């Protein structure tokens, strides 16, 4: 998507890269001590696409109207929605949007949703678990409970069809501490008590940025330059000593100087700096871009296995081409099978099509959808998201909280002084009527 913009924002990512970078890889699905190591999701990747439903041939997305920026200048502002915590609302939104936009949707049939807590009621994040279809010998998915002990999985997206129930097994130090049959399909979370020996302390963080480098991203991302500085440094306080690697994928579209440029993971700060400095914001031409191919490249990266965090920040202002939207969602499902979480960040110019696809990618992979707002008066106008509640704060503060939440296992909320504006009834990520 191309309008006017420039390359200044890349300098900001260079500064951001100073804070993060370190080592070691493996391409396979996650394994854990004391738990089955084979995953049906990786064994049957073709079935992921079967869980993506096409409503009808999708039309060309329409660019949102441009309005004069408003609000206080000087700081980029943003909000977010955690659809994992608002599943009932998301299912209603997904059904409406799929029909309206005629874009594919990920099947949520057979969803598994639970929250692990200790005997005292404290959230139990970082507990190893497996999910197995009843009667099957091998699990179709293995992972770790997320922020505040939440487990959310979508069997169809993981290549396991739509079982009516699954067996959840939870492990602590390689020893099974819970085995419980869960009915699937409910948008409510089952509360399960588990013995726990301690909190979540990840061994590593694999952090990848996937971003649209077409011309329209220049001016907004120029403002993001300052916002990115120091984010990782501050977030690392939540997990001192965590081993960090930094990944980078840039993309444009057909006919540009490149479609997708993958830099892989690196622990070398000078190498990351050279990669970032060699890019600029240019090209594009129409609204949709090569987002599907870029997300496929992210899913194919050499993510580490085991007790760690695997995060993707996808920064974009345009959706995938409509005829490749199904590939975009299939790539998100593949990432989910590897326990890679996708956090979409919608920049100015994001329309309903982009929001719909990015929110589905975030939900299926256990991430969140972030979006810039007009409160700062920075850049072009930002479309209002289709959500009932959110809080606006500085983008830098939001990104720090997201990373700190994942690294600590405890949800980090904006303090009173950080909240610029609140919409709807918001309570720790949950929108209540």
């Amino acid at each position: 998507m191309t309008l006017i913009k420039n390359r200044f924002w890349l300098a900001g990512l260079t500064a951001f890269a100073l804070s993060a970078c370190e080592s070691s890889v493996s391409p396979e699905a996650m394994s854990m001590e004391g738990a089955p190591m084979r995953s049906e999701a990786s064994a049957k990747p073709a079935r992921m696409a079967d869980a993506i439903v096409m409503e009808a041939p999708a039309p060309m997305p329409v660019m949102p109207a441009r309005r004069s920026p408003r609000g206080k200048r000087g700081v980029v502002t943003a909000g977010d929605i955690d659809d994992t915590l608002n599943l009932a609302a998301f299912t209603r939104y997904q059904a409406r949007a799929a029909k309206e936009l005629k874009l594919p949707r990920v099947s949520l049939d057979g969803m598994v949703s639970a929250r692990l807590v200790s005997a005292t009621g404290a959230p139990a994040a970082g507990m190893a678990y497996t999910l197995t279809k009843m009667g099957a010998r091998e699990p179709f998915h293995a992972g770790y409970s997320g922020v505040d002990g939440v487990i959310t999985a979508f069997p169809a997206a993981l290549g396991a069809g739509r079982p009516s129930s699954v067996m959840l097994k939870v492990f602590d130090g390689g020893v099974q501490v819970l085995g419980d049959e869960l009915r699937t399909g409910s948008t409510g979370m089952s509360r399960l008590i588990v013995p726990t020996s301690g909190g979540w302390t990840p061994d590593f963080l694999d952090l990848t940025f996937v971003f649209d480098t077409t011309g329209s991203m220049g001016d907004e991302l120029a403002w993001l330059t300052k916002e990115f500085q120091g984010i990782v440094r501050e977030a690392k306080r939540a997990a001192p000593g965590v081993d960090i690697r930094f990944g980078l994928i840039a993309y444009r579209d057909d006919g540009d100087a490149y479609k997708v440029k993958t830099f892989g993971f690196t622990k070398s700060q000078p190498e990351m700096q050279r990669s970032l400095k060699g890019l600029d914001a240019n090209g594009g031409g129409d609204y949709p871009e090569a987002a599907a191919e870029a997300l496929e490249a992210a899913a194919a990266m050499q993510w580490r296995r085991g007790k760690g965090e695997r995060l993707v920040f996808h920064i974009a202002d345009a959706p995938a081409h409509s005829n490749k939207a199904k590939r975009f969602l299939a790539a998100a499902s593949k990432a989910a099978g590897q326990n890679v979480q996708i956090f979409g960040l919608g920049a100015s110019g994001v329309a309903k099509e982009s929001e719909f696809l990015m929110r589905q990618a975030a939900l299926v992979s256990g991430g969140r959808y972030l979006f810039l707002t007009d409160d700062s008066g920075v850049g072009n106008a930002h479309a209002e998201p289709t959500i009932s509640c959110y809080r606006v704060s500085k983008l830098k503060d939001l990104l720090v909280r997201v990373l700190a939440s994942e690294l600590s296992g405890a949800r980090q909320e904006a303090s009173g002084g950080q909240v610029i504006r609140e919409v709807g009834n918001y309570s720790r990520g949950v929108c209540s009527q």
Side-chain angles (χ1 to χ4, degrees):
M1 177 181 173
T2 232
L3 293 174
I4 46 175
K5 328 231 178 155
N6 55 48
R7 60 180 290 173
F8 301 143
W9 62 278
L10 293 168
L13 285 181
T14 302
F16 183 39
L18 300 181
S19 307
C21 300
E22 276 175 21
S23 61
S24 154
V25 300
S26 177
E28 293 124 19
M30 176 183 216
S31 63
M32 65 186 71
E33 180 185 0
M37 299 176 64
R38 179 179 174 273
S39 169
E40 290 184 9
S42 59
K44 303 176 182 178
R47 296 180 62 186
M48 292 177 185
D50 296 339
I52 299 170
V53 181
M54 291 294 295
E55 296 297 324
M60 178 69 72
V62 178
M63 290 177 60
R66 297 290 183 176
R67 296 176 284 113
S68 298
R70 60 181 175 78
K72 182 179 178 181
R73 289 189 176 275
V75 58
V76 176
T77 55
D80 75 290
I81 180 66
D82 190 338
D83 285 313
T84 296
L85 301 181
N86 298 277
L87 285 171
F90 182 85
T91 57
R92 295 191 295 270
Y93 157 75
Q94 186 195 41
R96 291 194 306 269
K99 292 180 180 179
E100 175 189 346
L101 303 174
K102 296 181 172 60
L103 285 173
R105 56 188 173 89
V106 172
S107 173
L108 305 183
D109 293 344
M111 72 177 73
V112 177
S113 185
R115 186 188 298 272
L116 304 184
V117 299
S118 69
T120 63
M127 300 289 288
Y129 72 87
T130 61
L131 295 174
T132 307
K133 291 192 290 187
M134 301 306 296
R137 297 182 61 184
E138 301 285 350
F140 63 83
H141 185 60
Y144 290 86
S145 56
V147 174
D148 287 348
V150 171
I151 294 174
T152 305
F154 301 91
L158 295 168
R162 298 164 177 80
S164 59
S165 63
V166 298
M167 173 59 68
L168 169 68
K169 294 181 180 180
V170 179
F171 303 84
D172 186 13
V175 178
Q176 183 177 329
V177 295
L178 175 72
D180 201 349
E181 180 179 354
L182 298 181
R183 299 290 298 177
T184 65
S186 172
T187 56
M189 287 190 178
S190 301
R191 188 173 182 271
L192 303 175
I193 298 176
V194 294
T196 175
S197 57
W200 172 235
T201 305
D203 293 333
F204 63 84
L205 167 63
D206 281 353
L207 178 63
T208 291
F209 281 88
V210 176
F211 52 83
D212 177 347
T213 58
T214 55
S216 63
M217 292 296 290
D219 76 341
E220 196 106 44
L221 290 172
W223 286 97
L224 297 185
T225 297
K226 186 170 65 174
E227 303 288 359
F228 274 118
Q229 295 178 3
I231 290 173
V232 170
R233 183 187 65 249
E234 294 183 35
K236 284 175 64 176
R237 295 174 183 172
V242 67
D243 177 30
I244 300 179
R245 295 189 308 165
F246 193 89
L248 179 63
I249 295 174
Y251 70 95
R252 291 180 181 171
D253 204 6
D254 295 309
D256 290 330
Y258 59 86
K259 182 185 289 188
V260 177
K261 187 178 293 187
T262 303
F263 296 85
F265 287 112
T266 181
K267 63 179 181 179
S268 168
Q269 175 181 318
E271 180 183 350
M272 179 59 64
Q273 288 178 301
R274 287 191 297 270
S275 298
L276 292 169
K277 289 179 179 179
L279 297 175
D280 63 358
N282 211 329
D286 58 357
Y287 183 41
E289 311 295 0
E293 294 90 331
L295 206 59
E296 288 172 339
M301 291 181 70
Q302 301 297 296
W303 298 95
R304 282 181 282 188
R305 297 179 298 168
K307 186 182 177 182
E309 293 289 346
R310 289 154 285 264
L311 309 180
V312 168
F313 281 91
H314 176 207
I315 306 170
D317 65 353
H321 287 272
S322 58
N323 63 350
K324 296 179 180 177
K326 191 172 183 178
R327 286 174 56 182
F328 179 87
L329 296 177
S333 295
K334 180 179 178 181
Q338 301 174 91
N339 296 287
V340 175
Q341 297 170 262
I342 300 169
F343 294 80
L345 174 57
S348 62
V350 163
K352 292 181 179 180
E353 293 82 2
S354 304
E355 178 190 353
F356 182 55
L357 294 176
M358 293 175 83
R359 282 178 68 180
Q360 290 190 91
L363 174 65
V364 79
S365 64
R368 300 191 216 173
Y369 175 62
L370 289 61
F371 48 90
L372 302 187
T373 73
D374 283 344
D375 297 82
S376 65
V378 170
N380 292 298
H382 306 92
E384 188 72 9
T386 315
I387 58 180
S388 61
C389 83
Y390 60 91
R391 284 178 171 173
V392 176
S393 64
K394 295 179 182 179
L395 173 62
K396 177 180 177 180
D397 293 340
L398 174 58
L399 292 179
V400 167
R401 290 195 304 274
V402 167
L403 286 171
S405 296
E406 296 299 329
L407 290 169
S408 68
R411 186 179 180 88
Q412 307 293 310
E413 290 288 345
S415 62
Q418 292 179 322
V419 179
I420 297 170
R421 176 168 60 94
E422 184 167 330
V423 174
N425 298 315
Y426 178 97
S427 177
R428 292 190 59 81
V430 177
C431 297
S432 59
Q433 299 299 322

